[in-house]
Amino acid sequence: TDIDVLGDGLTQDYSERWRVGYRYYDLHPEQIWFPFGHGLSYTSFDYSGLTVKKDGEGYEASFTLANTGDMDGSEVVQLYISDPVSTASQPVKQLKKFDKVFLRAGEKKKISFSLTADDFAYYNVMLHKWIAESGRYDILIAASSRDIRLTGSILYDNKDCSIDVIAMQEAW
């Protein structure tokens, strides 16, 4: 019997790296029925008023979530971060924060997420450490990976980043 075995039977090379799940589908235009984070509800929700402001060493992203339907219900709100000009191969966006929020019919609530340097960092395999590059980052508030409701941008300044870029060039 011929059996197709991936790898040599003892080890497996996962060559897709970070390109799995919603990160894979973000690279492809096909419509998908149930995107990551998709939920069903007997009510509807409205997202509004996104603000992203500096808060100490990090940032605070806040917005208002309103239950606009006739029934009480829950919504899982998701915060993704996108680095549109990264020097490294990265996903289009990455889920960084989420929260399940229960609201009665007609109720509104302010939702806030704290963001630190860790939320903007990626692991650099050449330097063997986490790096947060300076530059523009998009903050995306969503009901699912394909249902982005609010967007905002920040300019992140990592004062140590120039040292990291020089070290990375030397490692090449």
Side-chain angles (χ1 to χ4, degrees), residues 11-168:
T11 60
Q12 172 60 45
D13 177 33
Y14 291 97
S15 59
E16 64 271 353
R17 297 192 176 121
W18 55 260
R19 295 173 191 88
V20 296
Y22 74 88
R23 295 170 176 182
Y24 169 85
Y25 289 108
D26 281 349
L27 298 173
H28 297 84
E30 303 92 18
Q31 291 295 325
I32 52 178
W33 286 7
F34 302 106
F36 176 79
H38 169 78
L40 299 175
S41 180
Y42 290 105
T43 190
S44 56
F45 294 92
D46 182 54
Y47 294 62
S48 64
L50 174 63
T51 61
V52 184
K53 62 181 180 179
K54 189 83 170 126
D55 184 26
E57 292 293 315
Y59 293 86
E60 180 184 80
S62 59
F63 62 97
T64 301
L65 181 68
N67 181 340
T68 56
D70 296 328
M71 310 253 330
D72 298 349
S74 295
E75 178 81 329
V76 177
V77 294
Q78 302 159 40
L79 183 146
Y80 294 84
I81 293 181
S82 175
D83 183 356
V85 289
S86 176
T87 60
S89 174
Q90 291 193 58
V92 173
K93 64 181 176 292
Q94 296 187 64
L95 177 67
K96 295 297 182 172
K97 307 285 181 180
F98 65 92
D99 192 14
K100 184 175 183 178
V101 181
F102 176 81
L103 295 175
R104 299 199 181 283
E107 184 180 5
K108 293 181 180 181
K109 184 176 182 182
K110 183 178 179 180
I111 310 297
S112 295
F113 293 112
S114 293
L115 302 171
T116 66
D118 292 345
D119 295 311
F120 300 99
Y122 70 93
Y123 189 76
N124 185 298
V125 295
M126 295 178 76
L127 297 176
H128 305 288
K129 67 180 187 175
W130 290 89
I131 293 178
E133 296 177 337
S134 293
R136 179 183 136 205
Y137 288 85
D138 295 331
I139 309 300
L140 314 171
I141 304 296
S144 79
S145 65
R146 291 278 178 108
D147 188 3
I148 308 300
R149 303 288 181 95
L150 302 170
T151 60
S153 294
I154 63 161
L155 289 175
Y156 180 78
D157 183 19
N158 183 352
K159 293 164 184 52
D160 298 327
C161 186
S162 60
I163 296 167
D164 294 334
V165 172
I166 291 169
M168 187 168 57

